[in-house]
Amino acid sequence: MDLNNIAEEFSQCNKCGLCLASCPVCRELLLEKYSPRGKIQLARYYGRGDLELSDHFREIFERCLLCGACSITCPSGVDLKKVFLEMREKISEHRDLHAHIKSMVQSLAEYHNISEEENEERGEWRELLKEIPDHMYEKDRAEVVYFVGCVSSFFPMVQGIPRNLVRILDLAGVDFAILGGEEWCCGFPLLGAGLSNKMEELKAHNLEKVKALGAGTVVFSCPSCYGTWDEHYGTDLELLHSTQLIERLIRDGAVTLREVKAMVTYHDPCDLGRGGGEYEAPRAILKSIPGVSLVEMEKNRAQSVCCGGGGNLEMADPKLSRTVARKKIEQITQTGADTVVTACQQCIRTIKSEARRQKIDLDVLDITDLVLRAIGPS
Amino acid sequence: MLSEAIANELRAIVGSNWFLDSPEDLATYSYDGFLPEYKPDGIIIPENREEIAAIMGLANKEKINIIPRGAGTNICGSSVARQGGIIMAFHRMNRILEIDRENMCAVVQPGVVNADLQREAARFRLMYPPDPASMFVSTIGGNVALNAGGPRGVKYGVTRDYLLGLEVVLPTGEVIRTGGKSLKSVTGYDLTRLMCGSEGTLGIITEIILKLVPLPTSKATLQAIFLDVDHAAKTVSAIMASGIVPTTLELIDKVILDVISDYGGASFPKDAEALLLIEVDGEEVLVKAQGERIEEFCKERGAIEVQRARNAEEAEMLWQARRTAFGAVARLRPNILVEDATVPVKRLPDMIRVIMDLAEKYGLRIGVLAHAGDGNLHPLIMTDLRDEEEMARIDKALDELFEAAIGMGGTLSGEHGVGIAKDRFIDMEYSEKAIEIMRGIKRVFDPNNILNPGSFL
Ligand SMILES: Cc1cc2nc3c(=O)[nH]c(=O)nc-3n(C[C@H](O)[C@H](O)[C@H](O)COP(=O)(O)OP(=O)(O)OC[C@H]3O[C@@H](n4cnc5c(N)ncnc54)[C@H](O)[C@@H]3O)c2cc1C
Ligand code: SF4
Ligand code: SF4
């Protein structure tokens, strides 16, 4: 059944079950098939020819945040996330996709973004800026390209993130540009849909546009775009998450930070933390803002629990996604902080929306909000 | 195979969402933490005692096997449908019913995860001592049925020592209660303890009363490294004889120390033969004094390096080696067999030598982790199940290993259970008469032999 590249992972799994402890999905759905161990075994049975890729099989693999918490927990080093991604590829070859995922794929083909909007609208968030240079950040040449990503471009709730980041970069004197309507989706949602083969065109286009600007560095506010470029674009450009760049700017003295009084907790986005291995840059930023005190959640860094917004789960099972978000909010409020800071637009959307639905008084900030408050004109 | 009519009756009892027979469900309830897999005929997930009684009544009448299953982390093959039948899982019975602060006890349903109880008890400044390494996943029901122990066992004992009472649905569908909240009871046979370690063969545990202890206020953690296992073992004996009762006394042997070093977990002197991880808990003044004395014991008996943690962070660092041990070993070869032979504490070094010799004789790679304080060894046999020739050599080595353990007055299994992992060895430890008594007990509880059949009996 041609699962050669993941067969080693199955044989490495001794069914100890320790991964169950870290899975936010199986905590809710209880049944073994939804657990990380269960899905590894399902994949193995499929590989042996003992199970078919039924619709139910598909539904099971859709109920996963691809958060990677299981992979980190596994003492035997099984790369579970790799298996789940590979299985999604197999499933997409053999089964119809979930209707929501299908329309997302169609939108990518037609508009090069996930929102079924004209791609020219990508720069809409610039309307939030009080002042804007004539070039509107779409320059001919620049040292750094800021890759904004679909979600921050199109979802009003998080359009403040690119607005913040360009102001920070301006204030720090960074020579940067955006691609505007020439930025195409990075392809990340296709990975979760099991359609990595459809990424090629997007990839080639984005790489070409960045190179045309003569840039040496690409910066991302979206941890998933960052991870997708890092793992799948095969480029030697310097790739940085915004927290890494900001931390560097602070260290180099390019920006000065004034006091902001706040007690905050920090949520590690899965794709930045477990995915990108970056736990410390955001914390270093928070610690360098005078007046900010950071209280950690019980599960932080590699143990951080997903917000519920990963793995396209929002499309496949919105109710489950919200339940996971609710549990995350409980962990946040347990810290006693009334502000949670994170560094991912998707986490913000998921956490903020659920807090609103639950009428919980919680400030959900992107780290750029706080940084801007600290360097902005007093 | 199950007839559709019976499947429907089962659905009627629990609701159609909670009787499962899709190929995906059958596949994912066909295993536990041990090797062989058996596909069940269905999975049933009851919500309460009444449903369980109805299920057992039906199963007994129709002679359908029922196999209780907690989290499926046992490593002896005791929660799989060895002779077909229905897996009964307790996912929905996962409530902590009561923490009784005054009587220092907890009442829980069988599906409660051990760590969840630990966390809840701690909120009342109480502690549930048994802490199997699987505690973040394994259930109290499974812990009771296998009498699980953990690193704290040296001082605090095992699950059995905290079991006050049970509610049990018998295979015939009748319900009995054993024990209760009182700490002492000599009324009648001790059915509570009989259920403990019964590997799901006598009844379905539906409620559990557990003793709790005050959460210790302070802890001292030490790590000592020895060039000779004998020196480490002598230190263990010296500590135990001194009147200090450590909470934890773990030993890691040379093979595993080397693996951990290679894996990048921590590094140890090249010629180190054993590491001891020692912890004491209790009142702060006492703990501090005991920590100092243990340090002296180690040094006097040849430890080349002793570290005593100054704070919780340093203690966590010292635990790191022990915690990464299993993972580091597990990554080396595709599979790892965890053995569980246990000997009287004094014979620990002899047993480690036996294992080293067996590894050499049969060309195997075996590392030893031991709960040294109670003589419980976990030889970790690194292998690849697909290699039949090597598996045959392992079988031979195991035969000799168990014989040696029992020869030293020890036992086949300290804490993992017999199941099908060790059923062929049970007559090494028990006489025919003793086994006959166990079979008789099983018949009284389960006349039709429908509850988890095909076990060690
Ligand atoms: C990584 C790892 C580490 C481990 N560490 C330890 C350790 O330190 N100490 C230790 O002792 N064990 C350890 N174990 C073994 C195992 O975790 C324990 O035996 C645990 O108690 C099993 O609990 P469970 O919920 O997974 O039960 P399961 O494995 O599902 O079942 C175990 C037994 O309990 C029976 N059972 C379950 N629920 C009920 C019920 N309600 N009524 C009647 N019978 C029931 C089942 O039929 C079966 O016989 C470890 C296992 C792993 C994989
Ligand atoms: S990736 Fe996350 S949601 Fe998916 S199985 Fe692993 S822990 Fe669970
Ligand atoms: S923790 Fe790793 S070895 Fe254990 S069941 Fe999960 S995937 Fe398998």
Side-chain angles (χ1 to χ4, degrees):
Chain A
M1 218 112 321
D2 183 27
L3 291 178
N4 293 341
N5 50 341
I6 50 173
E8 244 341 275
E9 308 296 330
F10 310 150
S11 59
Q12 198 69 33
C13 169
N14 56 28
K15 303 177 284 190
C16 71
L18 292 186
C19 50
L20 271 72
S22 56
C23 177
V25 165
C26 74
R27 256 205 173 232
E28 302 307 323
L29 299 182
L30 305 175
L31 304 180
E32 176 74 17
K33 63 188 167 194
Y34 296 116
S35 73
R37 171 176 64 177
K39 281 181 292 191
I40 291 291
Q41 297 309 316
L42 287 174
R44 180 170 62 93
Y45 279 96
Y46 164 70
R48 255 182 12 195
D50 289 345
L51 275 181
E52 285 171 28
L53 300 176
S54 65
D55 282 336
H56 189 47
F57 198 98
R58 186 201 77 190
E59 284 159 14
I60 294 168
F61 279 83
E62 277 170 0
R63 272 154 192 75
C64 169
L65 297 154
L66 297 176
C67 69
C70 47
S71 309
I72 289 267
T73 312
C74 173
S76 305
V78 176
D79 189 346
L80 292 101
K81 189 171 159 189
K82 178 171 157 198
V83 173
F84 301 155
L85 282 167
E86 183 69 26
M87 288 310 295
R88 287 190 182 202
E89 296 280 331
K90 288 280 169 244
I91 291 168
S92 79
E93 281 168 30
H94 293 92
R95 308 273 0 148
D96 239 9
L97 293 171
H98 190 286
H100 291 162
I101 293 177
K102 222 191 277 180
S103 57
M104 181 266 296
V105 173
Q106 206 155 11
S107 173
L108 286 187
E110 201 165 329
Y111 303 102
H112 307 305
N113 64 58
I114 57 169
S115 296
E116 297 178 34
E117 285 182 60
E118 290 304 330
N119 209 37
E120 291 310 312
E121 304 294 316
R122 256 189 200 272
E124 196 191 67
W125 54 269
R126 284 173 295 192
E127 290 165 15
L128 298 174
L129 287 161
K130 286 198 205 89
E131 287 165 41
I132 186 157
D134 292 340
H135 55 60
M136 307 270 285
Y137 302 109
E138 292 183 49
K139 305 197 284 194
D140 292 334
R141 300 205 63 81
E143 286 168 20
V144 175
V145 168
Y146 169 30
F147 192 90
V148 183
C150 296
V151 177
S152 295
S153 300
F154 291 105
F155 288 73
M157 185 190 274
V158 287
Q159 282 175 332
I161 298 174
R163 176 205 54 196
N164 297 341
L165 188 58
V166 298
R167 292 211 49 210
I168 295 167
L169 297 181
D170 268 343
L171 287 168
V174 176
D175 171 26
F176 76 99
I178 62 170
L179 299 178
E182 289 297 350
E183 179 185 305
W184 288 5
C185 172
C186 70
F188 172 73
L190 292 168
L191 293 171
L195 295 167
S196 61
N197 55 341
K198 289 199 197 300
M199 271 175 70
E200 290 312 314
E201 196 196 348
L202 302 172
K203 233 161 77 175
H205 173 89
N206 285 329
L207 277 171
E208 184 195 313
K209 294 296 163 190
V210 168
K211 288 206 180 108
L213 289 178
T217 299
V218 189
V219 63
F220 306 84
S221 47
C222 169
S224 307
C225 296
Y226 166 62
T228 304
W229 274 67
D230 193 36
E231 274 176 51
H232 298 273
Y233 274 45
T235 168
D236 46 20
L237 290 163
E238 180 188 38
L239 307 176
L240 292 176
H241 184 256
S242 51
T243 51
Q244 296 168 325
L245 181 57
I246 294 172
E247 195 261 336
R248 192 188 287 179
L249 294 171
I250 295 173
R251 211 167 356 110
D252 295 349
V255 289
T256 29
L257 302 166
R258 274 189 290 272
E259 183 171 68
V260 178
K261 281 232 174 301
M263 176 162 121
V264 306
T265 187
Y266 174 71
H267 162 68
D268 287 277
C270 302
D271 284 339
L272 184 59
R274 282 184 292 265
E278 186 58 82
Y279 303 108
E280 299 312 324
R283 288 181 169 79
I285 295 173
L286 292 174
K287 282 178 191 154
S288 60
I289 304 177
V292 169
S293 67
L294 172 66
V295 272
E296 294 286 0
M297 279 178 255
E298 188 189 330
K299 296 197 167 186
N300 59 64
R301 296 187 168 82
Q303 265 66 48
S304 168
V305 181
C306 178
C307 67
N312 297 343
L313 182 69
E314 207 187 350
M315 298 183 215
D317 189 343
K319 204 170 137 235
L320 177 60
S321 163
R322 274 184 238 148
T323 311
V324 176
R326 201 149 62 238
K327 294 287 165 73
K328 181 80 216 189
I329 293 172
E330 278 168 24
Q331 297 174 15
I332 292 168
T333 48
Q334 267 164 21
T335 61
D338 51 15
T339 302
V340 58
V341 177
T342 187
C344 168
Q345 72 296 326
Q346 177 70 357
C347 299
I348 292 187
R349 278 184 59 232
T350 323
I351 298 172
K352 205 172 194 166
S353 308
E354 187 55 25
R356 275 187 194 167
R357 263 183 232 112
Q358 300 292 321
K359 305 206 172 19
I360 295 167
D361 194 17
L362 177 69
D363 257 341
V364 187
L365 299 184
D366 187 72
I367 195 158
T368 55
D369 287 314
L370 216 53
V371 173
L372 195 58
R373 240 182 258 175
I375 57 179
S378 49
Chain B
M1 274 307 288
L2 211 57
S3 76
E4 199 43 38
I6 292 180
N8 283 335
E9 278 192 66
L10 292 168
R11 285 192 186 95
I13 297 172
V14 290
S16 54
N17 280 343
W18 301 109
F19 176 80
L20 313 170
D21 57 2
S22 77
E24 290 79 5
D25 287 301
L26 299 182
T28 47
Y29 287 90
S30 67
Y31 53 79
D32 51 23
F34 192 53
L35 310 169
E37 300 174 359
Y38 304 88
K39 197 172 278 187
D41 301 314
I43 300 99
I44 196 155
I45 306 167
E47 194 184 19
N48 53 43
R49 174 190 59 208
E50 288 72 26
E51 288 182 3
I52 294 175
I55 296 163
M56 293 317 295
L58 178 67
N60 196 41
K61 188 171 77 176
E62 302 289 345
K63 303 210 171 34
I64 302 162
N65 296 338
I66 300 284
I67 301 94
R69 178 190 186 276
T73 68
N74 78 84
I75 35 192
C76 64
S78 72
S79 60
V80 282
R82 296 170 290 223
Q83 300 182 359
I86 296 172
I87 299 280
M88 181 183 284
F90 303 98
H91 303 306
R92 295 165 74 205
M93 295 177 67
N94 59 357
R95 278 182 307 136
I96 298 172
L97 300 172
E98 187 188 356
I99 302 274
D100 181 342
R101 201 184 218 154
E102 273 157 21
N103 289 310
M104 297 229 288
C105 65
V107 183
V108 304
Q109 292 189 315
V112 168
V113 171
N114 178 306
D116 291 344
L117 174 60
Q118 306 269 359
R119 200 172 301 122
E120 190 60 19
R123 296 206 311 133
F124 295 82
R125 282 194 299 273
L126 294 170
M127 175 169 86
Y128 174 63
D131 59 341
S134 58
M135 63 186 263
F136 292 101
V137 193
S138 68
T139 64
I140 300 292
N143 291 174
V144 172
L146 279 178
N147 191 15
R152 289 202 282 250
V154 187
K155 173 168 175 182
Y156 290 102
V158 293
T159 305
R160 180 197 291 130
D161 303 308
Y162 296 87
L163 202 53
L164 296 177
L166 293 172
E167 177 187 80
V168 180
V169 178
L170 299 176
T172 50
E174 295 144 295
V175 181
I176 60 167
R177 292 202 74 106
T178 73
K181 282 187 180 175
S182 64
L183 289 179
K184 292 172 77 172
S185 162
V186 289
T187 328
Y189 291 147
D190 191 344
L191 294 179
T192 312
R193 286 184 168 210
L194 178 59
M195 290 301 301
C196 186
S198 64
E199 302 194 4
T201 62
L202 297 182
I204 308 273
I205 300 164
T206 49
E207 210 175 282
I208 304 152
I209 308 176
L210 296 164
K211 182 167 79 176
L212 304 174
V213 300
L215 192 65
T217 49
S218 181
K219 235 179 348 201
T221 309
L222 295 96
Q223 170 184 294
I225 293 174
F226 297 86
L227 295 182
D228 185 329
V229 205
D230 287 326
H231 294 165
K234 288 212 172 86
T235 309
V236 172
S237 307
I239 296 171
M240 302 298 283
S242 74
I244 298 175
V245 185
T247 325
T248 298
L249 233 176
E250 301 279 298
L251 180 145
I252 304 178
D253 83 341
K254 176 168 180 53
V255 175
I256 296 185
L257 287 179
D258 289 348
V259 173
I260 297 174
S261 296
D262 292 345
Y263 175 61
S267 61
F268 307 101
K270 263 249 132 328
D271 37 3
E273 228 183 41
L275 177 151
L276 287 180
L277 177 72
I278 310 161
E279 201 161 88
V280 282
D281 69 7
E283 293 288 326
E284 195 171 338
V285 232
L286 200 66
V287 160
K288 192 162 174 287
Q290 290 182 339
E292 284 162 9
R293 273 187 72 199
I294 291 174
E295 182 168 349
E296 281 166 28
F297 281 137
C298 294
K299 286 185 175 148
E300 283 163 16
R301 282 162 189 78
I304 53 162
E305 198 185 298
V306 186
Q307 276 174 279
R308 187 145 55 90
R310 278 165 301 192
N311 51 43
E313 253 164 54
E314 283 187 13
E316 191 46 42
M317 291 278 287
L318 296 186
W319 268 95
Q320 207 53 33
R322 176 62 183 87
R323 284 198 220 287
T324 48
F326 183 80
V329 173
R331 277 161 211 245
L332 281 188
R333 298 279 307 273
N335 306 96
I336 168 168
L337 303 177
V338 187
E339 271 315 326
D340 189 29
T342 301
V343 294
V345 180
K346 232 184 103 188
R347 306 299 300 269
L348 197 72
D350 302 334
M351 197 60 205
I352 291 177
R353 299 274 178 230
V354 168
I355 294 166
M356 284 158 78
D357 292 346
L358 285 173
E360 169 132 11
K361 177 169 169 192
Y362 290 104
L364 301 169
R365 189 145 183 217
I366 310 179
V368 179
L369 286 176
H371 306 309
D374 44 27
N376 188 349
L377 294 111
H378 290 313
L380 306 181
I381 309 173
M382 297 161 235
T383 183
D384 184 339
L385 293 178
R386 294 166 293 193
D387 184 342
E388 286 175 21
E389 187 272 328
E390 186 174 270
M391 290 306 289
R393 274 183 281 137
I394 290 177
D395 269 350
K396 286 198 194 126
L398 284 182
D399 279 335
E400 289 188 37
L401 176 82
F402 294 139
E403 227 160 287
I406 289 173
M408 293 179 195
T411 174
L412 293 174
S413 174
E415 58 183 22
H416 292 165
V418 179
I420 41 177
K422 299 204 185 79
D423 51 357
R424 68 195 163 97
F425 300 111
I426 194 158
D427 55 3
M428 281 188 188
E429 191 168 334
Y430 284 103
S431 69
E432 186 46 39
K433 188 67 202 166
I435 295 173
E436 193 40 49
I437 289 174
M438 291 194 211
R439 293 204 178 105
I441 293 173
K442 166 75 171 160
R443 273 194 300 274
V444 173
F445 276 80
D446 184 12
N448 287 333
N449 193 27
I450 57 158
L451 193 62
N452 211 347
S455 168
F456 56 91
L457 290 176

